Amino acid sequence: MPKSKIDLYAAIRRDDRAGLSGREIQRKHGVGYRTVAKALASPWPQTRKKYPARASKLDPYKPFIDQILRADLDAPRKQRHTVKRIFDRLVDEQSMVDVSYQVVRTYVADRRPEIRAQAGRAPVNVFVPQVHQPGAEAEVDFGDVVLRLRGQQVTCSLFSFRLSFSGKAVHRVFLSGGQEAFLEGHVHAFTVLGGVPSGKVRYDNLKAAVAQVLGFSRQRVENERWTAFRSHYGLEAFYCQPGIRGAHEKGGVEGDIGWFRRNHLVPVPEIDSLDELNAMIDQWDRDNDDRRIGTRARTIGEYFAVEKPLLRPLPEESFETGRWFSLRVDRSAQVSVRTNRYSVPAKLISRPVRVLLHASHLIVYDGQTEIARHERLLAKGGARLELDHYLEALVLKPGALPGSTVLEQARASGKFTPVHDAWWAAANRTHGDAVGTRALIEVLLLHRHHAHEHVVAGLAAALRAGALTADAVALETRKIADNDEAIDDADEPETTAPQGTVTSLTQRRLTHLPPDTRPIPSVTAYDQLLRHHPAKGQP
């Protein structure tokens, strides 16, 4: 293994002290007499001299370029020299030849910042370490993540709320980074952390919070709902500068989003719903409490244990993060929300309804009654339709079912199974298209009162038996549902019938009824209606 020069010098000096001659030292270590002399003169090798910089063909023109760059310091911003303009002037005014554009561009890129710094126009960019008080400061940001949601690749928004002192971060994935997601992310973070930071929370100039940036200052015109939200929780917002300079002002959350994405969302997750992913994210956040950030002496969880008691308590009343809309149902039994359309029961056509829009879903109300709930659409101009909402209309117009959009969406979601299609086709062959489709619609109405798997099993049983009427499917469905209930009851501890007895289904159902505390009926009041015959011997 080759020695370093310091080890070589130390060995030469050791052999010299042992009495070896210069030639013996040269022969032993395979070096020349000059190396031996340098080693005996100093234990430290001499620093190799740098060769002088090689002359460039651009050297005669550098003073002219520097003059142009100094003049640009006082020129209007939109009328300063570009590299191409400098190159053209060198060719036209200085008769420059044999110098490429790339050489000029490299020199200008290196020289321009130096001239600005010499003129005091560009101070050195220094990162000054900061001290964060526990429970006082936090940072918030969104980041894009790619997921495979039910087999389709979509881009969602990852919300991160990070406490500056402990590094404790709470994450949440939403379909979009709109105001509903922004507010819901805060509420979720406050609930997990158990409090609200008492000092400033750093933000980008998000549209969910900022309506207008006033000039180059830090003053902002805030969104009204965001102002009400801050007032409810007592948040103090600090808005960072636009662009990359603002990113450095909240570098903690910027780095946290990248770290979380690389360590938990690689490879791309394949999920059936965002609720499933967010449940995993909550567990990952709890596991991160055992992690150390950089060279810190303690874990995130240990620092957060110090910080949590210093957070301000949550308000007693909750804040409604969803947005209300007052809409009217069109003749397609749909309401339009943010360029997308969602179905409601057909009986509400032309009636006003209220819609509560959340980050990942929306709820439709008729007065105080919830009538529909949909997962929010990600793209624009889409429609999400529920087959159950159109059944009453399809009874009158059965011919509209086969090619309808709502049927295709039901097939895609798995609610309309191949078993439905097989039974429908058999019913059409036996009874005709109109009668068979009406029978199918009556079967679909069973889903309102029975579990989906029970109805599908009832359809399969009726199809095997050749029973192609809705009443037969209803009967088979009830049999399967009652059988499942009996199996579930058999799994429970026995509390009624003794060993060896058989309990009827009616008796089993009666045992689940509440006790009857009413008095025993009496017919005394009806005695006055009877004819009273006098006893024998009485007048």
Side-chain angles (χ1 to χ4, degrees):
M1 184 176 180
K3 296 181 179 180
S4 67
K5 213 165 189 178
I6 295 179
D7 294 336
L8 177 62
Y9 277 27
I12 292 174
R13 293 169 68 88
R14 185 171 56 252
D15 292 341
D16 180 73
R17 288 194 296 269
L20 273 67
S21 65
R23 288 186 179 275
E24 291 174 336
I25 294 175
Q26 295 174 31
R27 192 180 303 110
K28 179 179 178 180
H29 297 285
V31 297
Y33 71 93
R34 289 190 179 88
T35 303
V36 175
K38 291 179 181 178
L40 297 178
S42 173
W44 294 100
Q46 296 180 357
T47 305
R48 178 174 294 182
K49 295 181 180 179
K50 292 184 179 181
Y51 289 100
R54 188 173 61 179
S56 171
K57 293 182 179 180
L58 189 64
D59 289 344
Y61 310 104
K62 288 181 178 179
F64 181 75
I65 298 175
D66 292 350
Q67 180 182 354
I68 292 176
L69 297 177
R70 291 190 182 95
D72 277 350
L73 294 175
D74 299 321
R77 184 176 62 86
K78 295 186 178 181
Q79 291 178 252
R80 295 172 185 170
H81 286 78
T82 61
V83 177
K84 183 179 183 305
R85 181 56 183 155
I86 295 174
F87 181 81
D88 292 341
R89 288 190 62 183
L90 289 172
V91 173
D92 296 339
E93 301 178 19
Q94 301 295 320
S95 302
M96 184 182 69
V97 293
D98 296 335
V99 178
S100 66
Y101 173 82
Q102 286 76 12
V103 173
V104 177
R105 183 180 61 184
T106 302
Y107 178 76
V108 171
D110 295 336
R111 188 64 178 144
R112 195 196 298 269
E114 296 176 356
I115 290 178
R116 291 186 62 85
Q118 292 172 2
R121 301 291 183 89
V124 180
N125 190 13
V126 179
F127 293 94
V128 181
Q130 300 291 305
V131 175
H132 303 289
Q133 298 301 322
E137 299 181 28
E139 301 170 358
V140 174
D141 200 7
F142 274 108
D144 291 338
V145 293
V146 177
L147 310 170
R148 291 194 63 83
L149 181 60
R150 291 186 289 272
Q152 182 181 2
Q153 184 166 302
V154 296
T155 301
C156 299
S157 295
L158 174 65
F159 175 87
S160 177
F161 188 101
R162 181 181 185 273
L163 295 175
S164 300
F165 173 77
S166 63
K168 171 72 173 177
V170 180
H171 305 88
R172 201 79 170 166
V173 172
F174 298 99
L175 288 175
S176 66
Q179 189 177 65
E180 295 80 17
F182 185 64
L183 300 183
E184 286 184 26
H186 277 80
V187 173
H188 175 70
F190 296 155
T191 304
V192 173
L193 298 175
V196 182
S198 59
K200 295 180 179 179
V201 181
R202 298 177 182 268
Y203 297 94
D204 276 337
N205 301 283
L206 303 169
K207 291 184 179 180
V210 177
Q212 183 181 0
V213 179
L214 300 179
F216 297 99
S217 66
R218 294 191 184 272
Q219 297 182 357
R220 305 289 187 269
V221 177
E222 294 184 335
N223 186 286
E224 291 183 355
R225 294 191 73 229
W226 170 238
T227 302
F229 183 87
R230 288 203 307 107
S231 175
H232 182 80
Y233 285 98
L235 282 177
E236 182 180 355
F238 178 88
Y239 298 106
C240 301
Q241 301 180 27
I244 190 64
R245 298 180 63 183
H248 294 317
E249 294 182 352
K250 55 178 183 60
V253 72
E254 296 277 355
D256 171 76
I257 289 178
W259 183 92
F260 189 88
R261 190 163 41 201
R262 290 188 299 271
N263 286 270
H264 295 300
L265 300 177
V266 176
V268 176
E270 296 188 8
I271 55 175
D272 293 328
S273 66
L274 289 186
D275 293 337
E276 173 189 347
L277 177 61
N278 284 324
M280 294 189 292
I281 287 177
D282 291 341
Q283 182 60 45
W284 293 337
D285 287 342
R286 289 189 290 269
D287 295 341
N288 286 339
D289 288 346
D290 299 329
R291 180 172 66 94
R292 281 187 172 87
I293 299 177
T295 58
R296 290 189 176 187
R298 293 181 174 85
T299 63
I300 294 176
E302 292 172 339
Y303 280 115
F304 180 64
V306 177
E307 189 170 27
K308 185 175 182 178
L310 302 178
L311 298 172
R312 284 208 312 268
L314 295 172
E316 295 182 0
E317 298 181 358
S318 61
F319 186 92
E320 179 54 70
T321 59
R323 181 183 290 272
W324 285 100
F325 295 89
S326 296
L327 305 171
R328 186 172 293 276
V329 182
D330 62 14
R331 63 180 183 178
S332 299
Q334 299 172 16
V335 291
S336 179
V337 182
R338 297 275 180 87
T339 73
N340 290 320
R341 308 183 70 81
Y342 303 88
S343 68
V344 299
K347 64 181 181 180
L348 298 175
I349 290 177
S350 300
R351 287 177 55 179
V353 294
R354 295 190 307 155
V355 178
L356 180 59
L357 180 66
H358 289 282
S360 300
H361 66 279
L362 62 86
I363 308 173
V364 184
Y365 291 92
D366 180 21
Q368 300 295 326
T369 305
E370 178 182 332
I371 57 174
R373 181 183 292 262
H374 293 281
E375 183 180 342
R376 186 170 174 175
L377 288 167
L378 182 60
K380 294 184 178 180
R384 191 175 295 281
L385 310 179
E386 186 70 32
L387 181 58
D388 182 74
H389 294 162
Y390 293 89
L391 295 181
E392 286 82 2
L394 290 172
V395 170
L396 303 177
K397 301 173 66 175
L401 178 61
S404 61
T405 304
V406 64
L407 179 60
E408 293 302 318
Q409 291 193 9
R411 284 195 177 105
S413 63
K415 295 181 179 179
F416 196 89
T417 64
V419 178
H420 288 84
D421 275 318
W423 190 91
W424 185 18
N428 287 345
R429 287 193 300 268
T430 303
H431 307 295
D433 292 346
V435 177
T437 302
R438 284 194 177 94
L440 173 69
I441 295 171
E442 293 178 9
V443 170
L444 294 175
L445 289 170
L446 294 174
H447 287 282
R448 297 182 178 179
H449 309 288
H450 298 279
H452 180 267
E453 58 272 13
H454 291 163
V455 178
V456 174
L459 275 169
L463 185 60
R464 288 192 300 269
L468 302 176
T469 62
D471 292 339
V473 176
L475 179 61
E476 295 294 338
T477 301
R478 284 193 290 270
K479 287 181 180 178
I480 295 172
D482 292 342
N483 187 37
D484 285 352
E485 291 181 2
I487 293 175
D488 293 340
D489 292 337
D491 294 337
E492 297 178 358
E494 186 177 356
T495 57
T496 55
Q499 187 72 22
T501 62
V502 178
T503 304
S504 67
L505 183 61
T506 302
Q507 291 178 352
R508 182 181 61 81
R509 289 177 176 174
L510 290 176
T511 58
H512 291 79
L513 294 177
D516 190 357
T517 58
R518 295 175 298 177
I520 298 176
S522 174
V523 296
T524 305
Y526 296 94
D527 289 345
Q528 59 183 335
L529 299 177
L530 300 176
R531 288 184 178 182
H532 294 277
H533 297 281
K536 189 175 181 179
Q538 293 183 357

